[in-house]
């Protein structure tokens, strides 16, 4: 059986009844679509810290003592308890997570724009949930996303690409040759995210200074996730498509050559969806007899094709 990435998730998004009101916030795409290709590891930081379900809702208040997490009616200050609980929860997480999906707006799980209440005036969306903040600090390279962003096809594709890259990277046995192989396969994915990052990673994987393997992997991981953190654009995807095509163009007839050139221009101008040009490139590459290197490129399918993430780009 094929192994799947393990992805952490705010438990309520899976339909588990752990919210303050005893309800959940099941997200259908996450559960029914993405759920077929990953293994979930659910967490509810508020239940873990012993608040129970149902429970009194909590929120952030800016007070004379600074930013506090308090229960809304009874005004119990839960800030320190939440911090300590988040720290031990993150420390006890499995080390093989490949990503984490967080519930937006929550003073525990929200990654950004969580409401902070003031004595006067309306609340401002300036906070970060205590658990989310701890997670981002302690798991520096773990791909994180709020579920709200997954409605946007660009964010969705970006997150899933990073999850599968994280998964593949962490499966590598610790040998420099494996890292070099990984780099070869991911070369045009990386180029679509950031060319400079791709080149830096090539130098690290080449290990010309003969550094210890653990050091090379650490440095590669740092630059890899900084590179993948940048979202591809039409321009940068076009660049990768062109480079990929460059490897097979000698095998392509003149009619197909012209057709590919026209379609690439249409994609660049925004007149053709990404899936159309990618499918055309895939079919040209499939016909190629010699080029195994290009056939193995993750750029052709960086995640399970059935997710259809590239259909809306
Ligand atoms: S948002 Fe986070 S803390 Fe709130 S119910 Fe969902 S998992 Fe629990």
């Amino acid at each position: 059986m094929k192994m799947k990435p393990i992805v952490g998730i705010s438990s309520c998004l899976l339909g588990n009844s752990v919210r303050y009101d005893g309800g959940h916030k099941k997200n259908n795409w996450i559960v029914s679509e993405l759920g077929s290709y990953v293994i979930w590891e659910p967490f509810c930081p508020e239940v873990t810290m012993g608040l129970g379900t149902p429970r009194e809702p909590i929120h952030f208040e800016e007070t004379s003592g600074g930013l506090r997490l308090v229960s809304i009616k009874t005004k119990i200050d839960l800030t320190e308890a939440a911090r300590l609980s988040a720290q031990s929860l993150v420390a006890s997480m499995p080390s093989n997570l490949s990503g984490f999906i967080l519930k937006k707006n929550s003073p525990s799980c929200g990654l950004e724009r969580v409401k902070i209440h003031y004595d006067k005036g309306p609340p401002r969306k300036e906070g970060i949930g205590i658990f989310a903040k701890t997670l981002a600090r302690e798991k520096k390279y773990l791909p994180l996303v709020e579920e709200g962003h997954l409605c946007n096809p660009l964010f969705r594709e970006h997150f899933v690409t990073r999850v599968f890259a994280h998964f593949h990277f962490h499966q590598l046995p610790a040998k420099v040759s494996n890292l070099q192989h990984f780099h070869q396969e991911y070369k045009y994915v990386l180029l679509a995210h950031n060319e400079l990052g791709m080149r830096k990673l090539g130098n690290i994987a080449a290990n010309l200074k003969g550094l210890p393997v653990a050091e090379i992997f650490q440095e590669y991981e740092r630059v890899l996730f900084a590179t993948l953190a940048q979202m591809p654009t039409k321009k940068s995807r076009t660049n990768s498509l062109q480079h990929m095509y460059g490897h097979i163009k000698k095998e392509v007839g003149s009619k197909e050559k012209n057709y590919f050139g026209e379609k690439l221009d249409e994609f660049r101008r925004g007149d053709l969806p990404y899936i159309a040009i990618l499918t055309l490139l895939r079919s040209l590459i499939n016909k190629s007899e010699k080029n195994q290197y290009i056939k193995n490129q993750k750029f052709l399918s960086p995640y399970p094709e059935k997710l259809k993430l590239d259909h809306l780009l």
Side-chain angles (χ1 to χ4, degrees):
M1 204 177 71
K2 243 186 163 181
M3 282 172 68
K4 296 176 178 179
I6 301 174
V7 177
I9 185 163
S10 296
S11 184
C12 54
L13 295 174
L14 290 182
N16 297 325
S17 302
V18 291
R19 294 196 84 217
Y20 71 92
D21 57 2
H24 61 75
K25 283 283 177 182
K26 181 174 172 185
N27 177 304
N28 284 332
W29 181 79
I30 289 175
V31 174
S32 315
E33 306 276 333
L34 186 58
S36 304
Y37 302 98
V38 302
I39 296 167
W40 298 120
E41 188 74 38
F43 297 89
C44 177
E46 291 177 19
V47 167
T48 302
M49 70 183 276
L51 296 182
T53 308
R55 56 186 171 273
E56 189 183 341
I58 56 182
H59 71 189
F60 283 127
E61 287 182 5
E62 185 64 45
T63 67
S64 54
L67 185 64
R68 314 306 295 169
L69 180 69
V70 297
S71 53
I72 294 177
K73 275 193 198 148
T74 50
K75 299 293 174 199
I76 297 169
D77 187 340
L78 296 161
T79 317
E80 280 320 303
R83 273 196 198 129
L84 291 173
S85 175
Q87 267 166 20
S88 73
L89 186 55
V90 171
S92 67
M93 277 178 181
S95 61
N96 56 353
L97 293 186
S98 290
F100 208 112
I101 304 178
L102 291 146
K103 171 76 186 72
K104 69 175 181 179
N105 297 337
S106 154
S108 301
C109 292
L111 251 185
E112 56 182 11
R113 295 173 50 78
V114 177
K115 278 185 189 164
I116 299 178
H117 296 257
Y118 294 83
D119 274 354
K120 290 181 189 149
R124 290 190 220 144
K125 290 185 168 184
E126 295 171 336
I128 304 174
I130 289 182
F131 171 71
K133 195 173 185 176
T134 310
L135 186 64
R137 190 185 62 226
E138 300 297 323
K139 305 273 181 191
K140 271 194 288 223
Y141 307 129
L142 191 65
L144 306 179
V145 73
E146 278 193 351
E147 111 278 1
H149 284 313
L150 293 175
C151 301
N152 177 321
L154 288 171
F155 281 97
R156 187 182 277 193
E157 204 259 356
H158 187 215
F159 175 68
V160 176
T161 301
R162 287 180 295 149
V163 165
F164 278 86
H166 194 283
F167 175 59
H168 293 141
F169 178 75
H170 284 276
Q171 281 185 312
L172 294 178
K175 273 173 82 176
V176 173
S177 58
N178 293 325
L179 192 60
Q180 289 166 347
H181 186 68
F182 174 92
H183 184 74
Q184 278 190 357
E185 288 195 343
Y186 267 91
K187 184 168 177 183
Y188 295 110
V189 172
L190 296 169
L191 180 63
H193 285 256
N194 182 278
E195 182 162 359
L196 194 62
M198 182 272 278
R199 297 198 184 287
K200 260 192 204 169
L201 287 163
N203 290 335
I204 297 167
N207 193 19
L208 296 176
K209 290 183 190 160
L211 297 172
V213 178
E215 218 173 288
I216 298 296
F217 268 69
Q218 247 175 29
E219 182 59 1
Y220 192 93
E221 182 179 24
R222 185 183 70 76
V223 182
L224 174 64
F225 291 104
T227 301
L228 291 175
Q230 301 191 41
M231 204 179 268
T233 61
K234 268 201 191 330
K235 197 174 161 197
S236 64
R237 282 190 208 275
T238 303
N239 192 23
S240 282
L241 288 159
Q242 267 168 335
H243 276 82
M244 296 270 296
Y245 173 71
H247 286 269
I248 51 154
K249 70 177 178 193
K250 285 192 184 140
E251 297 176 65
V252 176
S254 63
K255 266 191 185 168
E256 281 173 317
K257 226 174 235 170
N258 290 341
Y259 187 67
F260 184 79
E262 276 169 31
K263 294 294 149 192
L264 192 61
D265 277 345
E266 284 177 26
F267 168 68
R268 189 179 11 223
R269 289 198 306 267
D271 295 336
L272 189 77
Y274 181 54
I275 184 63
I277 187 71
L278 187 61
T279 305
L280 181 57
L281 181 68
R282 280 181 187 146
S283 78
L284 293 175
I285 288 175
N286 271 340
K287 283 190 217 159
S288 156
E289 304 218 325
K290 309 169 207 158
N291 221 318
Q292 199 55 41
Y293 166 74
I294 215 70
K295 286 183 180 173
N296 289 344
Q297 285 299 317
K298 288 286 179 198
F299 184 79
L300 296 170
S301 50
Y303 38 74
E305 279 175 40
K306 284 188 180 161
L307 276 170
K308 297 184 180 161
L309 300 178
D310 36 24
H311 285 224
L312 296 169
L313 301 176

